[in-house]
Protein backbone atom coordinates (compact mmCIF):
# COMPACT_ATOMS: atom_id res chain seq x y z
CA UNK A 1 0.00 0.00 0.00
CA UNK A 2 1.41 3.39 -0.92
CA UNK A 3 0.04 6.76 0.15
CA UNK A 4 -0.14 9.93 -1.91
CA UNK A 5 -0.93 13.08 0.06
CA UNK A 6 -2.84 15.77 -1.84
CA UNK A 7 -3.42 19.11 -0.16
CA UNK A 8 -5.66 22.12 -0.92
CA UNK A 9 -5.99 25.56 0.67
CA UNK A 10 -8.75 27.43 2.50
CA UNK A 11 -10.30 30.38 0.63
CA UNK A 12 -8.38 33.65 0.97
CA UNK A 13 -8.34 37.20 -0.35
CA UNK A 14 -12.11 37.71 -0.08
CA UNK A 15 -13.04 34.64 -2.17
CA UNK A 16 -15.84 32.40 -0.84
CA UNK A 17 -14.21 29.21 -2.13
CA UNK A 18 -10.78 27.98 -3.10
CA UNK A 19 -10.76 25.79 -6.24
CA UNK A 20 -7.74 23.90 -4.92
CA UNK A 21 -9.66 22.44 -1.99
CA UNK A 22 -12.90 22.08 -3.96
CA UNK A 23 -11.00 19.88 -6.43
CA UNK A 24 -8.84 18.00 -3.90
CA UNK A 25 -11.83 17.04 -1.75
CA UNK A 26 -13.56 15.57 -4.80
CA UNK A 27 -10.62 13.34 -5.79
CA UNK A 28 -11.22 9.60 -5.64
CA UNK A 29 -9.85 8.19 -2.41
CA UNK A 30 -8.41 4.70 -2.39
CA UNK A 31 -7.60 3.04 -5.68
CA UNK A 32 -6.06 -0.43 -5.80
CA UNK A 33 -3.10 -0.45 -3.46
CA UNK A 34 -2.84 3.35 -3.32
CA UNK A 35 -4.35 5.46 -0.57
CA UNK A 36 -5.07 9.09 -1.48
CA UNK A 37 -4.97 11.23 1.67
CA UNK A 38 -6.67 14.62 1.21
CA UNK A 39 -5.78 17.50 3.52
CA UNK A 40 -7.14 21.04 3.92
CA UNK A 41 -4.40 23.56 4.72
CA UNK A 42 -4.92 26.94 6.42
CA UNK A 43 -3.89 29.90 4.27
CA UNK A 44 -1.53 31.23 6.94
CA UNK A 45 2.24 31.51 7.16
CA UNK A 46 2.19 30.27 10.75
CA UNK A 47 0.27 26.99 10.34
CA UNK A 48 0.49 25.86 6.71
CA UNK A 49 3.87 24.10 6.82
CA UNK A 50 3.26 22.35 10.14
CA UNK A 51 -0.19 21.14 9.04
CA UNK A 52 1.37 19.29 6.09
CA UNK A 53 4.65 18.11 7.63
CA UNK A 54 2.78 16.51 10.57
CA UNK A 55 0.84 14.35 8.13
CA UNK A 56 3.98 13.56 6.10
CA UNK A 57 5.74 12.37 9.26
CA UNK A 58 2.74 10.25 10.29
CA UNK A 59 1.90 8.69 6.92
CA UNK A 60 5.27 8.72 5.13
CA UNK A 61 3.62 9.22 1.71
CA UNK A 62 5.45 8.28 -1.50
CA UNK A 63 4.50 11.70 -2.87
CA UNK A 64 2.88 14.93 -1.78
CA UNK A 65 1.05 17.06 -4.32
CA UNK A 66 0.25 20.50 -2.91
CA UNK A 67 -2.44 22.45 -4.77
CA UNK A 68 -3.31 26.16 -4.59
CA UNK A 69 -5.33 28.81 -6.41
CA UNK A 70 -3.52 31.13 -8.80
CA UNK A 71 -6.24 33.55 -9.89
CA UNK A 72 -5.53 34.97 -13.34
CA UNK A 73 -3.69 31.93 -14.69
CA UNK A 74 -5.35 29.97 -17.50
CA UNK A 75 -3.68 26.56 -17.22
CA UNK A 76 -2.78 23.99 -14.60
CA UNK A 77 0.66 25.28 -13.56
CA UNK A 78 3.16 22.65 -12.48
CA UNK A 79 5.62 24.59 -10.36
CA UNK A 80 9.35 24.08 -10.84
CA UNK A 81 10.82 25.99 -7.89
CA UNK A 82 10.15 27.18 -4.34
CA UNK A 83 12.24 30.12 -3.16
CA UNK A 84 13.24 31.16 0.34
CA UNK A 85 11.28 34.40 0.44
CA UNK A 86 7.86 35.65 1.54
CA UNK A 87 6.90 38.97 -0.04
CA UNK A 88 3.24 39.78 -0.58
CA UNK A 89 1.24 42.95 0.01
CA UNK A 90 -1.91 41.01 0.96
CA UNK A 91 -2.08 39.65 4.52
CA UNK A 92 -2.71 35.93 5.07
CA UNK A 93 -5.91 34.62 6.69
CA UNK A 94 -4.52 35.44 10.16
CA UNK A 95 -3.97 39.06 9.10
CA UNK A 96 -0.20 38.58 9.00
CA UNK A 97 1.89 40.45 6.44
CA UNK A 98 5.31 39.20 5.32
CA UNK A 99 7.48 41.44 3.18
CA UNK A 100 10.99 40.46 2.07
CA UNK A 101 11.16 37.82 4.79
CA UNK A 102 13.14 34.56 4.53
CA UNK A 103 11.07 31.43 5.19
CA UNK A 104 14.02 29.59 6.80
CA UNK A 105 16.82 31.88 7.94
CA UNK A 106 20.12 30.48 6.61
CA UNK A 107 18.11 28.03 4.47
CA UNK A 108 19.04 27.40 0.82
CA UNK A 109 17.90 30.08 -1.63
CA UNK A 110 15.59 27.64 -3.40
CA UNK A 111 14.47 24.05 -3.79
CA UNK A 112 13.35 22.40 -7.01
CA UNK A 113 10.22 20.25 -7.11
CA UNK A 114 11.11 16.58 -6.89
CA UNK A 115 8.09 15.40 -8.88
CA UNK A 116 8.76 14.73 -12.60
CA UNK A 117 7.30 18.07 -13.74
CA UNK A 118 7.96 17.71 -17.48
CA UNK A 119 6.46 14.22 -17.52
CA UNK A 120 3.41 15.50 -15.63
CA UNK A 121 2.85 18.35 -18.10
CA UNK A 122 3.26 15.98 -21.06
CA UNK A 123 0.77 13.53 -19.52
CA UNK A 124 -1.78 16.29 -18.88
CA UNK A 125 -1.43 17.66 -22.40
CA UNK A 126 -1.78 14.29 -24.04
CA UNK A 127 -4.99 13.80 -22.03
CA UNK A 128 -6.04 17.24 -23.40
CA UNK A 129 -5.80 19.30 -20.20
CA UNK A 130 -4.15 22.73 -20.52
CA UNK A 131 -0.93 22.56 -18.51
CA UNK A 132 2.39 24.39 -18.29
CA UNK A 133 5.59 24.28 -16.28
CA UNK A 134 5.64 27.45 -14.18
CA UNK A 135 8.85 29.01 -12.93
CA UNK A 136 7.28 30.94 -10.07
CA UNK A 137 4.88 29.84 -7.37
CA UNK A 138 4.61 33.47 -6.24
CA UNK A 139 5.85 34.73 -2.87
CA UNK A 140 2.74 34.18 -0.77
CA UNK A 141 1.53 31.21 1.31
CA UNK A 142 1.72 28.69 -1.58
CA UNK A 143 5.43 29.25 -2.18
CA UNK A 144 5.88 29.37 1.62
CA UNK A 145 4.32 25.91 2.03
CA UNK A 146 6.11 24.48 -1.02
CA UNK A 147 9.50 25.67 0.31
CA UNK A 148 8.77 24.55 3.89
CA UNK A 149 7.73 21.05 2.85
CA UNK A 150 10.76 20.56 0.58
CA UNK A 151 13.02 21.84 3.39
CA UNK A 152 11.43 19.39 5.83
CA UNK A 153 11.86 16.47 3.43
CA UNK A 154 15.52 17.31 2.75
CA UNK A 155 16.47 17.98 6.37
CA UNK A 156 14.75 14.79 7.58
CA UNK A 157 16.14 12.61 4.77
CA UNK A 158 12.66 11.52 3.68
CA UNK A 159 12.01 9.78 0.39
CA UNK A 160 8.71 11.60 -0.24
CA UNK A 161 8.59 13.30 -3.64
CA UNK A 162 6.99 16.74 -3.54
CA UNK A 163 5.54 19.23 -5.96
CA UNK A 164 3.07 22.05 -6.30
CA UNK A 165 0.21 22.64 -8.74
CA UNK A 166 -1.46 26.04 -9.13
CA UNK A 167 -5.01 25.96 -10.51
CA UNK A 168 -7.07 28.76 -12.14
CA UNK A 169 -10.21 30.39 -10.72
CA UNK A 170 -13.51 28.54 -11.15
CA UNK A 171 -16.01 30.13 -13.60
CA UNK A 172 -18.23 31.37 -10.74
CA UNK A 173 -15.27 33.29 -9.26
CA UNK A 174 -14.72 35.40 -12.39
CA UNK A 175 -18.25 36.69 -13.07
CA UNK A 176 -17.22 40.11 -11.70
CA UNK A 177 -13.71 40.01 -13.19
CA UNK A 178 -14.02 40.58 -16.95
CA UNK A 179 -11.23 39.06 -19.02
CA UNK A 180 -10.03 36.76 -16.23
CA UNK A 181 -9.52 33.12 -17.25
CA UNK A 182 -11.18 30.25 -15.42
CA UNK A 183 -11.36 26.44 -15.56
CA UNK A 184 -14.29 24.20 -14.66
CA UNK A 185 -14.13 22.21 -11.45
CA UNK A 186 -14.60 18.96 -13.41
CA UNK A 187 -11.54 19.77 -15.53
CA UNK A 188 -9.41 20.63 -12.50
CA UNK A 189 -10.47 17.43 -10.71
CA UNK A 190 -9.76 15.35 -13.83
CA UNK A 191 -6.36 17.03 -14.27
CA UNK A 192 -5.37 16.33 -10.66
CA UNK A 193 -6.62 12.78 -11.07
CA UNK A 194 -4.38 12.37 -14.11
CA UNK A 195 -1.37 13.60 -12.06
CA UNK A 196 -2.12 11.26 -9.15
CA UNK A 197 -2.59 8.31 -11.49
CA UNK A 198 0.79 9.01 -13.15
CA UNK A 199 2.48 9.21 -9.75
CA UNK A 200 0.81 6.01 -8.62
CA UNK A 201 2.25 4.07 -11.52
CA UNK A 202 5.67 5.76 -11.04
CA UNK A 203 5.83 4.89 -7.36
CA UNK A 204 4.97 1.22 -7.84
CA UNK A 205 8.07 -0.97 -8.03
N1 LIG B 1 -3.12 30.42 -3.27
C1 LIG B 1 -2.22 31.35 -2.60
C2 LIG B 1 -2.21 30.92 -1.16
C3 LIG B 1 -3.34 29.95 -1.00
C4 LIG B 1 -3.77 29.64 -2.37
O1 LIG B 1 -4.63 28.81 -2.71
C5 LIG B 1 -0.86 31.47 -3.25
O2 LIG B 1 -0.74 31.28 -4.47
O3 LIG B 1 0.11 31.76 -2.57
Amino acid sequence: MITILVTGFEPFGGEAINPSWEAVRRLNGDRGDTHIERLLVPTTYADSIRTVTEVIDRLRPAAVVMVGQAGGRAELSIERVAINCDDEKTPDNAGVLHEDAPIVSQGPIAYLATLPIKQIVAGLRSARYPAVVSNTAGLFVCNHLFYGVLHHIVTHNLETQAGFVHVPFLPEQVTGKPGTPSMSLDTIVAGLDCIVTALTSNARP
Side-chain angles (χ1 to χ4, degrees):
M1 189 79 169
I2 65 160
T3 297
I4 295 184
L5 173 62
V6 190
T7 73
F9 275 104
E10 288 174 343
F12 68 100
E15 297 292 332
I17 51 170
N18 188 320
S20 66
W21 177 242
E22 294 307 315
V24 168
R25 72 189 184 90
R26 284 172 174 80
L27 278 178
N28 281 335
D30 293 347
R31 36 184 108 184
D33 59 356
T34 304
H35 169 63
I36 307 297
E37 179 79 12
R38 292 154 293 195
L39 177 68
L40 175 63
V41 181
T43 305
T44 64
Y45 295 111
D47 294 326
S48 51
I49 296 172
R50 187 172 38 81
T51 300
V52 177
T53 56
E54 274 177 7
V55 176
I56 291 175
D57 290 343
R58 185 160 49 83
L59 300 182
R60 294 300 178 103
V64 52
V65 181
M66 294 160 273
V67 187
Q69 165 190 301
R73 294 199 193 175
E75 299 96 355
L76 299 170
S77 300
I78 314 306
E79 300 293 348
R80 186 194 300 270
V81 59
I83 72 171
N84 190 11
C85 182
D86 291 335
D87 187 35
E88 168 64 46
K89 291 197 166 28
T90 313
D92 70 6
N93 282 0
V96 173
L97 203 62
H98 280 186
E99 286 188 275
D100 280 326
I103 298 164
V104 176
S105 59
Q106 314 298 325
I109 291 167
Y111 287 107
L112 296 176
T114 50
L115 294 182
I117 57 169
K118 292 279 174 75
Q119 200 182 314
I120 288 172
V121 169
L124 286 166
R125 287 182 178 172
S126 68
R128 305 222 173 278
Y129 301 114
V132 291
V133 169
S134 161
N135 295 318
T136 175
L139 296 174
F140 191 38
V141 179
C142 287
N143 173 75
H144 182 90
L145 173 66
F146 189 19
Y147 183 93
V149 165
L150 286 165
H151 186 71
H152 182 83
I153 288 169
V154 168
T155 53
H156 291 76
N157 284 317
L158 304 180
E159 303 211 327
T160 303
Q161 290 186 298
F164 200 101
V165 181
H166 263 125
V167 302
F169 278 138
L170 297 177
E172 60 263 43
Q173 291 179 281
V174 301
T175 48
K177 305 178 182 85
T180 307
S182 65
M183 187 178 276
S184 78
L185 185 55
D186 284 352
T187 303
I188 298 175
V189 173
L192 294 181
D193 197 79
C194 177
I195 296 171
V196 168
T197 303
L199 295 177
T200 305
S201 22
N202 263 3
R204 196 163 287 127

